Amino acid sequence: MSLFRNAQFEISIAKPSGLPPPNGPEVAFAGRSNAGKSSAINTLANHTRLAFVSKTPGRTQLINFFRLNNGAVLVDLPGYGYAEVPEAVRRQWQHLLEDYLTKRPNLVGLVLIMDSRHPLKDRDMAMLGWFAPSGRPIHVLLTKSDKLTRSESAATLAAVRKALAAYGEQVTVQLFSSLKKTGVEEVERVVGSWLAPAPDAL
């Protein structure tokens, strides 16, 4: 059974005080508003409408929690970095994101989604800067890879890995396409390893 299959919506919250009590390991999905985050979540869950896909980036203004069959939680964070979002709203989102990423005790890892044609933007790097000090793993999904040629995809993957090499094994990178449904197994393998009990806990 797919790790993300049969995910069930649990709750949406708009501010840190609304966060539910920690209950099971959480894996956060974050990315720029137009990076294809909702499409990636829907593809992983094999569900066309689990995460809302809007033609207008920046519509997801809440933290959405989806419970997986194994008891873990997929956490869909608000998209960031879209210019047409009012500054006050952007500040609110930033506070919400930063608070969740730095203080949530049961957050086990971050899936950071970037458009493969435009990776490593300033706010992507800010997200890495907030989360990396926790020491928890980060997996970068380079989405929309179907829009690149094979050589362009390989070059982009190599360039992003080189740019993030300073993080060592904490950060992993892969290509992903919601349209072609490529890269799903790799995401499941990486995230599944975060959810597996540590050897000394067995």
Side-chain angles (χ1 to χ4, degrees), residues 37-141:
K37 176 170 59 67
S38 294
S39 295
I41 290 171
N42 288 336
T43 297
L44 291 169
N46 195 32
H47 194 303
T48 57
R49 293 285 297 178
L50 185 69
F52 181 63
V53 179
S54 173
K55 295 295 184 185
T56 304
R59 286 285 176 82
T60 306
Q61 301 179 19
L62 306 170
I63 294 182
N64 298 303
F65 291 74
F66 302 95
R67 182 73 59 177
L68 307 182
N69 279 350
N70 64 2
V73 182
L74 185 162
V75 183
D76 182 13
L77 299 177
Y80 56 84
Y82 191 63
E84 291 185 13
V85 174
E87 184 60 34
V89 174
R90 188 182 297 122
R91 285 197 302 270
Q92 178 182 327
W93 289 357
Q94 179 168 326
H95 173 65
L96 184 63
L97 287 167
E98 189 170 5
D99 195 85
Y100 175 79
L101 289 169
T102 58
K103 298 179 182 177
R104 189 69 169 167
N106 56 326
L107 179 58
V108 298
L110 173 68
V111 178
L112 184 56
I113 294 171
M114 305 181 196
D115 187 326
S116 60
R117 300 165 299 175
H118 313 287
L120 303 173
K121 296 294 188 180
D122 288 349
R123 285 189 173 86
D124 297 326
M125 301 309 294
M127 186 70 66
L128 285 163
W130 288 338
F131 192 74
S134 72
R136 290 171 289 195
I138 300 164
H139 189 55
V140 176
L141 283 197

